[in-house]
Structure formats: structure tokens, C-alpha cells
Amino acid sequence: MAPNVALVVGSFFMGDSEKSAATVKKGFPKLEGLEVGEPTMGNEFDFDSLKDCKLLIICTSSQYGMPPPDFAEFAHHLLNAATNHPGCLKHLQHAVFGNGDETYFDTYMNMPRYMDMLLEKAGSRRFFARGEKGEPNAALDTEKTTCEAWTKGMWAAAAAALKDPSAPAVPWDALWAKHKSEHHEKVTQWDLKKLE
């Protein structure tokens, strides 16, 4: 079977999101009907291949609130899809895991949050609450999310999502349903011009 789960990565120099993507891939429990592709950097990913995917998992960090250099092309394609072709990804379901450094307070977790928002605007259905390393996650009943715990919960949610793809989407801010972020819950949006 050809891969129908895309695993797209945007990683800054520390490589945390590459490690997260490896954890997600390794944690795949062999769900019937799914085949996970190899983790692929955003700039190397063929955005058009999403038409053949059932699920999209993104692991990314930010570079001052903007895409890491190896993720800029994917971010551009997604922003274009959400802006000019809303609903074009309605066949897709997604989940996002984010890494960040709270030292950069103003732009902390911006890329994971914005990519999650844009996927929804493009029509994709969020099937599991976004994971943000070290942040609360109500679905996991934790105040400090780890990629390992998020991966386990995400794959369990993926199994349920396959059985009922028409279920309501998980809200964008569902991770904060029990505990608020210690830092902030903001997202800074930018347009295509900013990426060009």
C-alpha cells in the first residue's frame, strides 16, 4: 500500500521537530488501512500529494514566529490553499505537534498554532488536540505535554477518526480546556506577501 499518512516536518537548528516526527513514526500502531510515509521536510514535500492522503501529521517549530527555513514552501502552499481555495482539503484529517522556546515569548508556538488554523481554513478536520511540548493538553489530562504521550493519544484518536470521519472537528483551542498556557495562547497570522 502506498503511504496515505503524510508526516511533514519543519525544524529549526536544534532538530527537536525531526525528533518529534521520528517519535510519531515509531509510535504508529499499524492501523488497518493506513500506511505512514517517511518524515519529510516541508520544502521537500509534494503538496499536491495531499490529495491521496487520509491523514496529515505536522511537527514544527518557529523561527521568530515564521516558518523554519526548511518548512517555508509548505507554509506558502498551505497559506495559498487556505486563502484562495478554502475547503480544498476537506477530504483530509490532521493533527499538529509543536516545539518551541519560551525565551522567544512573543512568537512562542506561533507556527504550530498558525499551521493548525490554516489547515482548518483549508477544509481539513482536526482529529486530535494540537500538542505543544511542555504545554497543557486536556485530551491527555496533563499540564506538561510530551511528544511520547501526545503520539500515543493522537494515534488512538486517528483510529477513531477513521471510523467516523464526519465527527465534529476538535476545536483549535481544545488543548487548553482544563489548564491555560503558562505563556500565552496567541497566534500571529501573516499573509502570502510576508512569505515572498
Tab-separated table of all heavy atoms in Angstrom, residues 171-196:
chain	number	residue	atom	x	y	z
A	171	PRO	N	-11.890	21.331	18.565
A	171	PRO	CA	-11.646	22.775	18.494
A	171	PRO	C	-10.152	23.123	18.511
A	171	PRO	O	-9.350	22.416	19.127
A	171	PRO	CB	-12.339	23.328	19.746
A	171	PRO	CG	-13.345	22.292	20.118
A	171	PRO	CD	-12.747	20.975	19.713
A	172	TRP	N	-9.803	24.233	17.870
A	172	TRP	CA	-8.420	24.688	17.765
A	172	TRP	C	-7.777	24.872	19.141
A	172	TRP	O	-6.607	24.571	19.347
A	172	TRP	CB	-8.392	26.021	16.990
A	172	TRP	CG	-7.032	26.601	16.812
A	172	TRP	CD1	-6.131	26.313	15.833
A	172	TRP	CD2	-6.399	27.580	17.650
A	172	TRP	NE1	-4.979	27.046	16.000
A	172	TRP	CE2	-5.116	27.835	17.119
A	172	TRP	CE3	-6.790	28.267	18.796
A	172	TRP	CZ2	-4.236	28.742	17.688
A	172	TRP	CZ3	-5.902	29.166	19.369
A	172	TRP	CH2	-4.635	29.392	18.810
A	173	ASP	N	-8.559	25.344	20.114
A	173	ASP	CA	-8.023	25.627	21.440
A	173	ASP	C	-8.337	24.534	22.465
A	173	ASP	O	-8.244	24.744	23.672
A	173	ASP	CB	-8.539	26.975	21.948
A	173	ASP	CG	-10.067	27.039	22.004
A	173	ASP	OD1	-10.741	26.080	21.555
A	173	ASP	OD2	-10.595	28.058	22.483
A	174	ALA	N	-8.653	23.322	21.996
A	174	ALA	CA	-9.058	22.230	22.887
A	174	ALA	C	-7.975	21.852	23.897
A	174	ALA	O	-8.290	21.404	24.997
A	174	ALA	CB	-9.444	20.999	22.065
A	175	LEU	N	-6.717	22.039	23.538
A	175	LEU	CA	-5.642	21.661	24.466
A	175	LEU	C	-5.709	22.435	25.776
A	175	LEU	O	-5.244	21.962	26.817
A	175	LEU	CB	-4.264	21.827	23.818
A	175	LEU	CG	-3.753	23.220	23.490
A	175	LEU	CD1	-2.234	23.176	23.243
A	175	LEU	CD2	-4.441	23.784	22.275
A	176	TRP	N	-6.293	23.638	25.772
A	176	TRP	CA	-6.368	24.483	26.970
A	176	TRP	C	-7.703	24.364	27.710
A	176	TRP	O	-8.030	25.210	28.546
A	176	TRP	CB	-6.130	25.940	26.587
A	176	TRP	CG	-4.788	26.174	25.958
A	176	TRP	CD1	-3.569	25.802	26.441
A	176	TRP	CD2	-4.538	26.847	24.727
A	176	TRP	NE1	-2.578	26.189	25.576
A	176	TRP	CE2	-3.133	26.838	24.518
A	176	TRP	CE3	-5.346	27.458	23.769
A	176	TRP	CZ2	-2.537	27.416	23.399
A	176	TRP	CZ3	-4.754	28.034	22.653
A	176	TRP	CH2	-3.368	28.009	22.482
A	177	ALA	N	-8.479	23.335	27.435
A	177	ALA	CA	-9.808	23.204	28.055
A	177	ALA	C	-9.741	23.041	29.575
A	177	ALA	O	-10.663	23.445	30.287
A	177	ALA	CB	-10.567	22.031	27.442
A	178	LYS	N	-8.664	22.459	30.094
A	178	LYS	CA	-8.532	22.253	31.550
A	178	LYS	C	-7.539	23.203	32.205
A	178	LYS	O	-7.710	23.571	33.364
A	178	LYS	CB	-8.113	20.808	31.834
A	178	LYS	CG	-9.155	19.782	31.457
A	178	LYS	CD	-8.689	18.381	31.791
A	178	LYS	CE	-9.740	17.348	31.400
A	178	LYS	NZ	-9.261	15.971	31.628
A	179	HIS	N	-6.481	23.556	31.480
A	179	HIS	CA	-5.444	24.438	32.028
A	179	HIS	C	-5.005	25.417	30.950
A	179	HIS	O	-4.817	25.035	29.798
A	179	HIS	CB	-4.220	23.640	32.492
A	179	HIS	CG	-4.519	22.619	33.533
A	179	HIS	ND1	-4.705	22.929	34.858
A	179	HIS	CD2	-4.675	21.270	33.437
A	179	HIS	CE1	-4.956	21.827	35.531
A	179	HIS	NE2	-4.950	20.805	34.696
A	180	LYS	N	-4.822	26.646	31.334
A	180	LYS	CA	-4.333	27.666	30.400
A	180	LYS	C	-2.820	27.540	30.245
A	180	LYS	O	-2.134	27.005	31.106
A	180	LYS	CB	-4.693	29.075	30.901
A	180	LYS	CG	-6.196	29.314	31.010
A	180	LYS	CD	-6.856	29.157	29.675
A	180	LYS	CE	-8.361	29.386	29.738
A	180	LYS	NZ	-9.035	28.971	28.518
A	181	SER	N	-2.316	28.087	29.150
A	181	SER	CA	-0.877	28.112	28.922
A	181	SER	C	-0.189	28.985	29.970
A	181	SER	O	-0.720	30.024	30.365
A	181	SER	CB	-0.578	28.670	27.528
A	181	SER	OG	0.807	28.910	27.379
A	182	GLU	N	0.994	28.576	30.405
A	182	GLU	CA	1.779	29.410	31.320
A	182	GLU	C	2.315	30.644	30.604
A	182	GLU	O	2.698	31.613	31.226
A	182	GLU	CB	2.982	28.619	31.853
A	182	GLU	CG	2.647	27.559	32.853
A	182	GLU	CD	3.895	26.857	33.359
A	182	GLU	OE1	5.009	27.379	33.179
A	182	GLU	OE2	3.740	25.769	33.939
A	183	HIS	N	2.360	30.587	29.277
A	183	HIS	CA	2.973	31.661	28.498
A	183	HIS	C	1.908	32.542	27.849
A	183	HIS	O	1.642	33.626	28.309
A	183	HIS	CB	3.937	31.061	27.478
A	183	HIS	CG	4.965	30.200	28.132
A	183	HIS	ND1	4.834	28.824	28.228
A	183	HIS	CD2	6.109	30.510	28.773
A	183	HIS	CE1	5.868	28.340	28.898
A	183	HIS	NE2	6.659	29.333	29.229
A	184	HIS	N	1.321	32.098	26.765
A	184	HIS	CA	0.202	32.799	26.142
A	184	HIS	C	-0.467	31.859	25.143
A	184	HIS	O	0.056	30.794	24.822
A	184	HIS	CB	0.641	34.110	25.468
A	184	HIS	CG	1.584	33.922	24.319
A	184	HIS	ND1	1.185	33.439	23.084
A	184	HIS	CD2	2.912	34.151	24.210
A	184	HIS	CE1	2.221	33.387	22.276
A	184	HIS	NE2	3.285	33.799	22.932
A	185	GLU	N	-1.641	32.260	24.685
A	185	GLU	CA	-2.417	31.437	23.751
A	185	GLU	C	-2.642	32.182	22.443
A	185	GLU	O	-3.603	31.934	21.725
A	185	GLU	CB	-3.743	31.047	24.415
A	185	GLU	CG	-3.514	30.232	25.679
A	185	GLU	CD	-4.730	30.101	26.570
A	185	GLU	OE1	-5.847	30.402	26.105
A	185	GLU	OE2	-4.559	29.697	27.734
A	186	LYS	N	-1.723	33.068	22.112
A	186	LYS	CA	-1.862	33.905	20.919
A	186	LYS	C	-1.325	33.207	19.676
A	186	LYS	O	-0.521	32.289	19.761
A	186	LYS	CB	-1.089	35.211	21.100
A	186	LYS	CG	-1.508	36.043	22.285
A	186	LYS	CD	-0.599	37.244	22.390
A	186	LYS	CE	-0.717	37.894	23.751
A	186	LYS	NZ	0.319	38.875	23.977
A	187	VAL	N	-1.785	33.713	18.545
A	187	VAL	CA	-1.221	33.306	17.259
A	187	VAL	C	-1.132	34.566	16.400
A	187	VAL	O	-2.052	35.374	16.374
A	187	VAL	CB	-2.068	32.204	16.567
A	187	VAL	CG1	-3.472	32.666	16.262
A	187	VAL	CG2	-1.399	31.697	15.318
A	188	THR	N	-0.008	34.723	15.734
A	188	THR	CA	0.177	35.851	14.824
A	188	THR	C	0.011	35.348	13.405
A	188	THR	O	0.755	34.455	12.966
A	188	THR	CB	1.582	36.476	14.996
A	188	THR	OG1	1.702	36.927	16.344
A	188	THR	CG2	1.771	37.637	14.046
A	189	GLN	N	-0.964	35.891	12.707
A	189	GLN	CA	-1.200	35.486	11.322
A	189	GLN	C	-0.429	36.398	10.382
A	189	GLN	O	-0.227	37.574	10.688
A	189	GLN	CB	-2.695	35.555	11.012
A	189	GLN	CG	-3.523	34.678	11.932
A	189	GLN	CD	-5.002	34.749	11.627
A	189	GLN	OE1	-5.412	34.666	10.481
A	189	GLN	NE2	-5.801	34.896	12.668
A	190	TRP	N	0.005	35.847	9.265
A	190	TRP	CA	0.677	36.644	8.248
A	190	TRP	C	0.157	36.232	6.889
A	190	TRP	O	-0.496	35.198	6.739
A	190	TRP	CB	2.202	36.511	8.324
A	190	TRP	CG	2.729	35.257	8.931
A	190	TRP	CD1	3.186	35.091	10.205
A	190	TRP	CD2	2.847	33.973	8.306
A	190	TRP	NE1	3.574	33.787	10.406
A	190	TRP	CE2	3.383	33.081	9.252
A	190	TRP	CE3	2.559	33.486	7.033
A	190	TRP	CZ2	3.634	31.746	8.978
A	190	TRP	CZ3	2.801	32.140	6.753
A	190	TRP	CH2	3.331	31.300	7.725
A	191	ASP	N	0.409	37.068	5.881
A	191	ASP	CA	-0.143	36.806	4.563
A	191	ASP	C	0.935	36.324	3.589
A	191	ASP	O	2.111	36.225	3.934
A	191	ASP	CB	-0.859	38.051	4.015
A	191	ASP	CG	0.067	39.260	3.932
A	191	ASP	OD1	1.301	39.086	3.952
A	191	ASP	OD2	-0.454	40.380	3.842
A	192	LEU	N	0.496	36.010	2.365
A	192	LEU	CA	1.408	35.492	1.350
A	192	LEU	C	2.538	36.451	1.048
A	192	LEU	O	3.676	36.040	0.813
A	192	LEU	CB	0.631	35.156	0.066
A	192	LEU	CG	-0.264	33.930	0.149
A	192	LEU	CD1	-1.231	33.891	-1.030
A	192	LEU	CD2	0.572	32.657	0.188
A	193	LYS	N	2.239	37.741	1.084
A	193	LYS	CA	3.252	38.757	0.788
A	193	LYS	C	4.425	38.659	1.757
A	193	LYS	O	5.575	38.828	1.385
A	193	LYS	CB	2.607	40.138	0.878
A	193	LYS	CG	3.374	41.235	0.180
A	193	LYS	CD	2.545	42.498	0.169
A	193	LYS	CE	3.180	43.509	-0.767
A	193	LYS	NZ	2.419	44.749	-0.817
A	194	LYS	N	4.120	38.352	3.015
A	194	LYS	CA	5.170	38.252	4.042
A	194	LYS	C	6.101	37.077	3.766
A	194	LYS	O	7.270	37.108	4.144
A	194	LYS	CB	4.499	38.099	5.400
A	194	LYS	CG	5.455	38.063	6.544
A	194	LYS	CD	5.373	39.324	7.350
A	194	LYS	CE	6.282	39.229	8.552
A	194	LYS	NZ	6.388	40.444	9.286
A	195	LEU	N	5.597	36.049	3.108
A	195	LEU	CA	6.405	34.864	2.817
A	195	LEU	C	7.222	35.002	1.531
A	195	LEU	O	8.121	34.206	1.284
A	195	LEU	CB	5.519	33.615	2.691
A	195	LEU	CG	5.050	32.978	3.981
A	195	LEU	CD1	4.213	31.746	3.668
A	195	LEU	CD2	6.204	32.619	4.889
A	196	GLU	N	6.882	35.963	0.711
A	196	GLU	CA	7.545	36.074	-0.607
A	196	GLU	C	8.764	36.975	-0.570
A	196	GLU	O	9.063	37.618	0.391
A	196	GLU	CB	6.542	36.558	-1.652
A	196	GLU	CG	5.493	35.490	-1.915
A	196	GLU	CD	4.309	35.992	-2.730
A	196	GLU	OE1	4.181	37.211	-2.972
A	196	GLU	OE2	3.499	35.153	-3.107
